[in-house]
Coordinates of all heavy atoms in Angstrom, one line a residue:
T1 N 88.4 100.7 110.4 CA 88.1 100.0 109.2 C 87.5 100.8 108.1 O 87.9 100.8 107.0 CB 87.1 98.8 109.6 OG1 87.8 98.1 110.7 CG2 86.9 97.9 108.4
Y2 N 86.7 101.7 108.6 CA 86.0 102.6 107.6 C 87.2 103.6 107.0 O 87.1 103.9 105.7 CB 85.0 103.5 108.3 CG 83.7 102.7 108.5 CD1 83.4 102.5 110.0 CD2 82.9 102.1 107.6 CE1 82.2 101.7 110.3 CE2 81.8 101.3 108.0 CZ 81.5 101.1 109.2 OH 80.4 100.4 109.6
Q3 N 88.0 104.0 107.9 CA 89.1 104.8 107.4 C 90.0 104.1 106.5 O 90.5 104.6 105.3 CB 90.0 105.3 108.6 CG 89.4 106.2 109.5 CD 90.0 106.4 110.9 OE1 91.2 105.9 111.0 NE2 89.3 107.0 111.8
L4 N 90.2 102.8 106.6 CA 91.0 102.0 105.7 C 90.3 101.8 104.3 O 91.0 101.8 103.3 CB 91.3 100.6 106.3 CG 92.1 99.7 105.5 CD1 93.5 100.3 105.1 CD2 92.2 98.3 106.2
I5 N 89.0 101.7 104.4 CA 88.3 101.6 103.0 C 88.6 102.9 102.2 O 88.9 102.9 101.0 CB 86.8 101.5 103.3 CG1 86.5 100.1 103.9 CG2 86.0 101.6 101.9 CD1 85.1 99.9 104.3
D6 N 88.5 104.0 102.8 CA 88.7 105.2 102.1 C 90.2 105.4 101.6 O 90.5 105.8 100.5 CB 88.4 106.6 103.0 CG 87.0 106.8 103.0 OD1 86.2 106.3 102.2 OD2 86.4 107.5 103.9
K7 N 91.2 105.2 102.5 CA 92.5 105.1 102.2 C 92.8 104.2 101.0 O 93.5 104.6 100.2 CB 93.4 104.8 103.4 CG 94.9 105.0 103.2 CD 95.7 104.9 104.4 CE 97.1 105.1 104.2 NZ 97.9 105.0 105.4
T8 N 92.3 103.0 101.0 CA 92.5 102.0 99.9 C 92.0 102.4 98.6 O 92.7 102.4 97.6 CB 92.0 100.7 100.3 OG1 92.5 100.2 101.5 CG2 92.3 99.6 99.3
N9 N 90.9 103.0 98.7 CA 90.3 103.6 97.4 C 91.0 104.7 96.9 O 91.3 104.8 95.7 CB 88.8 104.1 97.6 CG 87.7 103.0 97.8 OD1 87.9 101.9 97.2 ND2 86.7 103.3 98.6
M10 N 91.5 105.6 97.7 CA 92.3 106.7 97.3 C 93.7 106.3 96.8 O 94.1 106.8 95.7 CB 92.5 107.7 98.3 CG 91.1 108.5 98.7 SD 91.4 109.8 99.9 CE 91.7 109.0 101.3
Q11 N 94.4 105.3 97.4 CA 95.8 104.9 97.1 C 95.8 104.3 95.8 O 96.6 104.5 95.0 CB 96.3 104.0 98.1 CG 97.7 103.5 97.8 CD 98.6 103.0 98.9 OE1 98.4 103.6 100.1 NE2 99.3 102.0 98.8
Y12 N 94.7 103.4 95.5 CA 94.8 102.7 94.1 C 93.9 103.3 93.1 O 93.8 102.7 92.0 CB 94.3 101.3 94.5 CG 95.3 100.5 95.3 CD1 94.9 100.1 96.7 CD2 96.5 100.1 94.9 CE1 95.8 99.5 97.5 CE2 97.4 99.5 95.8 CZ 97.1 99.1 97.0 OH 98.0 98.5 97.8
G13 N 93.1 104.3 93.4 CA 92.3 104.9 92.4 C 91.1 104.0 92.1 O 90.7 103.8 90.9
I14 N 90.5 103.3 93.1 CA 89.5 102.3 92.8 C 88.2 102.5 93.7 O 88.3 103.6 94.5 CB 90.0 100.7 93.1 CG1 90.3 100.7 94.6 CG2 91.1 100.4 92.3 CD1 90.7 99.2 95.0
R15 N 87.2 101.8 93.5 CA 86.0 101.9 94.4 C 85.6 100.7 94.9 O 85.1 99.8 94.1 CB 85.0 102.7 93.7 CG 83.6 102.9 94.5 CD 83.8 103.8 95.6 NE 84.3 105.2 95.1 CZ 84.6 106.2 95.9 NH1 84.6 106.0 97.2 NH2 85.0 107.4 95.4
I16 N 86.0 100.2 96.2 CA 85.6 99.0 96.7 C 84.1 99.0 96.8 O 83.4 99.9 97.5 CB 86.2 98.7 98.0 CG1 87.7 98.7 97.9 CG2 85.7 97.5 98.8 CD1 88.5 98.7 99.2
G17 N 83.4 97.9 96.3 CA 82.0 97.7 96.5 C 81.6 97.4 98.0 O 82.3 96.8 98.6
I18 N 80.5 97.9 98.3 CA 80.0 97.6 99.8 C 78.6 97.2 99.7 O 77.7 97.7 99.2 CB 80.1 99.1 100.6 CG1 81.6 99.6 100.7 CG2 79.6 98.9 102.0 CD1 81.7 100.8 101.4
Y19 N 78.4 96.0 100.5 CA 77.1 95.5 100.7 C 76.8 95.6 102.1 O 77.5 95.4 103.1 CB 77.2 94.0 100.3 CG 77.3 93.7 98.9 CD1 78.5 93.9 98.1 CD2 76.2 93.5 98.0 CE1 78.6 93.6 96.8 CE2 76.3 93.3 96.7 CZ 77.4 93.4 96.1 OH 77.6 93.2 94.7
F20 N 75.4 96.0 102.3 CA 74.9 96.2 103.7 C 73.9 95.1 104.0 O 73.3 94.5 103.1 CB 74.2 97.6 103.7 CG 75.1 98.7 103.6 CD1 75.3 99.3 102.4 CD2 75.8 99.4 104.7 CE1 76.1 100.4 102.2 CE2 76.7 100.3 104.5 CZ 76.8 100.9 103.3
P21 N 73.6 94.8 105.2 CA 72.6 93.9 105.6 C 71.3 94.4 105.4 O 71.1 95.7 105.4 CB 72.9 93.6 107.0 CG 73.6 94.8 107.6 CD 74.5 95.3 106.5
D22 N 70.4 93.5 105.3 CA 68.9 94.0 105.1 C 68.5 94.7 106.4 O 68.5 94.1 107.5 CB 68.1 92.8 104.8 CG 66.6 93.2 104.6 OD1 66.2 93.7 103.7 OD2 65.8 93.0 105.6
N23 N 68.1 95.9 106.3 CA 67.7 96.8 107.4 C 66.5 96.2 108.2 O 66.4 96.2 109.5 CB 67.4 98.2 107.1 CG 66.2 98.3 106.2 OD1 66.1 97.8 105.1 ND2 65.1 99.1 106.8
E24 N 65.5 95.6 107.6 CA 64.3 95.0 108.3 C 64.8 93.9 109.1 O 64.2 93.6 110.2 CB 63.3 94.6 107.3 CG 62.6 95.8 106.6 CD 61.6 95.4 105.6 OE1 61.2 94.2 105.5 OE2 60.8 96.4 105.1
Q25 N 65.7 92.9 108.5 CA 66.2 91.8 109.4 C 66.9 92.2 110.5 O 66.8 91.8 111.7 CB 67.0 90.9 108.4 CG 66.3 90.2 107.4 CD 67.1 89.2 106.7 OE1 67.8 88.4 107.3 NE2 67.3 89.2 105.4
V26 N 67.7 93.3 110.4 CA 68.5 93.8 111.6 C 67.6 94.5 112.6 O 67.8 94.1 113.8 CB 69.6 94.8 111.0 CG1 70.2 95.5 112.2 CG2 70.6 94.2 110.1
E27 N 66.7 95.2 112.2 CA 65.7 95.8 113.1 C 64.9 94.8 113.9 O 64.8 94.9 115.2 CB 64.7 96.7 112.4 CG 65.4 98.0 111.9 CD 64.4 98.8 111.1 OE1 63.2 98.4 110.9 OE2 64.9 99.9 110.6
K28 N 64.5 93.8 113.2 CA 63.7 92.8 113.9 C 64.5 92.0 114.9 O 64.2 91.6 116.1 CB 63.2 91.8 112.9 CG 62.3 90.6 113.5 CD 61.8 89.7 112.5 CE 61.0 88.6 113.0 NZ 60.4 87.6 112.0
M29 N 65.8 91.7 114.5 CA 66.7 91.0 115.4 C 67.0 91.8 116.7 O 67.0 91.2 117.8 CB 68.0 90.6 114.6 CG 69.2 89.9 115.5 SD 70.6 89.5 114.6 CE 71.2 91.2 114.1
V30 N 67.4 93.0 116.5 CA 67.8 93.8 117.6 C 66.6 94.2 118.4 O 66.7 94.1 119.7 CB 68.4 95.1 117.1 CG1 68.6 96.2 118.2 CG2 69.8 94.9 116.4
N31 N 65.4 94.4 118.0 CA 64.3 94.7 118.8 C 63.7 93.4 119.5 O 63.1 93.7 120.6 CB 63.1 95.2 117.9 CG 63.4 96.7 117.4 OD1 63.9 97.5 118.2 ND2 63.1 97.0 116.2
T32 N 64.1 92.3 119.0 CA 63.6 91.0 119.7 C 64.6 90.6 120.7 O 64.2 90.2 121.8 CB 63.5 89.9 118.6 OG1 62.4 90.4 117.7 CG2 63.0 88.6 119.2
D33 N 65.9 90.7 120.4 CA 66.9 90.0 121.3 C 67.9 91.0 121.8 O 68.9 90.6 122.5 CB 67.6 88.9 120.6 CG 66.6 87.7 120.3 OD1 66.0 87.2 121.3 OD2 66.5 87.2 119.1
G34 N 67.9 92.2 121.4 CA 68.9 93.2 121.9 C 70.0 93.5 121.1 O 70.3 92.6 120.2
V35 N 70.6 94.7 121.2 CA 71.7 95.0 120.3 C 73.0 94.2 120.3 O 73.7 94.0 119.4 CB 72.0 96.6 120.6 CG1 72.7 96.8 121.9 CG2 72.9 97.2 119.3
N36 N 73.2 93.6 121.6 CA 74.4 92.8 121.7 C 74.0 91.3 122.0 O 74.6 90.6 122.9 CB 75.2 93.3 122.9 CG 75.9 94.6 122.5 OD1 76.2 94.8 121.3 ND2 76.2 95.5 123.4
L37 N 73.0 90.8 121.3 CA 72.6 89.5 121.5 C 73.6 88.3 121.4 O 73.5 87.3 122.0 CB 71.5 89.2 120.6 CG 71.7 89.0 119.0 CD1 70.7 88.3 118.3 CD2 72.0 90.3 118.3
F38 N 74.6 88.6 120.7 CA 75.7 87.6 120.3 C 76.5 87.2 121.5 O 77.1 86.2 121.5 CB 76.7 88.2 119.2 CG 76.9 89.7 119.3 CD1 77.7 90.2 120.3 CD2 76.2 90.6 118.5 CE1 78.0 91.6 120.4 CE2 76.4 91.9 118.6 CZ 77.3 92.5 119.7
Y39 N 76.4 88.0 122.6 CA 77.1 87.5 123.8 C 76.3 86.5 124.6 O 76.8 85.7 125.5 CB 77.3 88.7 124.8 CG 78.3 89.7 124.2 CD1 78.0 91.2 124.4 CD2 79.6 89.4 123.8 CE1 78.8 92.1 123.9 CE2 80.5 90.4 123.3 CZ 80.1 91.7 123.4 OH 80.9 92.6 122.9
D40 N 75.1 86.3 124.3 CA 74.2 85.4 125.1 C 74.2 83.9 124.7 O 74.1 83.1 125.6 CB 72.8 85.8 124.9 CG 72.4 87.2 125.5 OD1 73.2 87.7 126.4 OD2 71.4 88.0 125.0
S41 N 74.6 83.6 123.4 CA 74.7 82.3 123.1 C 75.4 82.2 121.6 O 75.4 83.2 120.9 CB 73.3 81.6 122.9 OG 72.6 82.1 121.9
I42 N 75.9 81.0 121.4 CA 76.6 80.8 120.1 C 75.5 80.9 119.0 O 75.7 81.5 117.9 CB 77.2 79.4 120.0 CG1 78.5 79.4 120.9 CG2 77.7 79.2 118.6 CD1 79.2 78.1 121.0
E43 N 74.3 80.5 119.4 CA 73.2 80.5 118.3 C 72.9 82.0 117.9 O 72.7 82.3 116.8 CB 71.9 79.8 118.9 CG 72.0 78.2 119.1 CD 73.0 77.9 120.2 OE1 73.1 78.7 121.2 OE2 73.5 76.7 120.2
N44 N 72.8 82.8 118.9 CA 72.5 84.2 118.7 C 73.7 84.8 117.9 O 73.4 85.7 117.0 CB 72.3 84.9 120.0 CG 70.9 84.9 120.5 OD1 70.0 84.4 119.9 ND2 70.6 85.3 121.7

């Protein structure tokens, strides 16, 4: 997927904007419930 972002930008001469998640929220989630918490429940 990352390779495709670069290839698309180069082919069309554009720059796709990229938005990242808030690092503090990610850290809190992972430290509380694990890196693969999504397998445990639909809620997670």
Side-chain angles (χ1 to χ4, degrees):
T1 303
Y2 293 111
Q3 292 164 10
L4 180 60
I5 293 172
D6 280 344
K7 185 173 182 179
T8 303
N9 283 334
M10 288 188 289
Q11 178 160 322
Y12 295 109
I14 61 173
R15 181 67 61 185
I16 296 173
I18 298 179
Y19 286 82
F20 296 93
D22 179 81
N23 67 297
E24 291 185 1
Q25 291 188 53
V26 173
E27 286 175 5
K28 181 178 179 181
M29 175 180 66
V30 170
N31 285 320
T32 301
D33 295 305
V35 70
N36 289 329
L37 71 158
F38 34 79
Y39 294 133
D40 297 333
S41 68
I42 293 178
E43 290 73 25
N44 276 353

